């Protein structure tokens, strides 16, 4: 089975540089990088919660329907 990883990175994150998100996406097999323009370290999960949860639910549905 393939383990998919979603990486969420904000372009205005003062804690984790945007380049780290790209680095992790390149190094982790089957990773998808989601870049949130203007989002910071703490604002990204708050401002993009609907997108993040929707992505997680889609991944869960895909995994459970494959059986």
């Amino acid at each position: 089975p393939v383990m998919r990883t979603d990486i969420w990175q904000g372009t205005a994150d003062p804690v984790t540089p945007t380049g780290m998100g790209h680095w992790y996406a390149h190094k982790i097999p089957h990773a998808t990088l989601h870049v949130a323009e203007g989002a910071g370290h703490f604002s990204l999960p708050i401002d993009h919660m609907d997108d993040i949860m929707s992505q997680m639910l889609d991944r869960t549905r895909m995994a459970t329907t494959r059986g």
Side-chain angles (χ1 to χ4, degrees):
V2 173
M3 175 61 94
R4 302 205 180 272
T5 303
D6 288 293
I7 300 166
W8 290 84
Q9 176 72 50
T11 60
D13 188 337
V15 178
T16 307
T18 305
M20 287 304 297
H22 290 279
W23 186 85
Y24 278 116
H26 177 73
K27 295 292 185 181
I28 299 171
H30 310 289
T32 301
L33 176 62
H34 306 271
V35 178
E37 191 66 38
H41 194 76
F42 295 106
S43 65
L44 186 142
I46 294 167
D47 294 342
H48 296 273
M49 183 59 66
D50 289 344
D51 297 328
I52 295 168
M53 293 305 293
S54 178
Q55 184 64 42
M56 289 175 62
L57 288 171
D58 287 347
R59 291 263 191 242
T60 303
R61 285 186 196 106
M62 287 184 346
T64 56
T65 57
R66 288 185 191 149

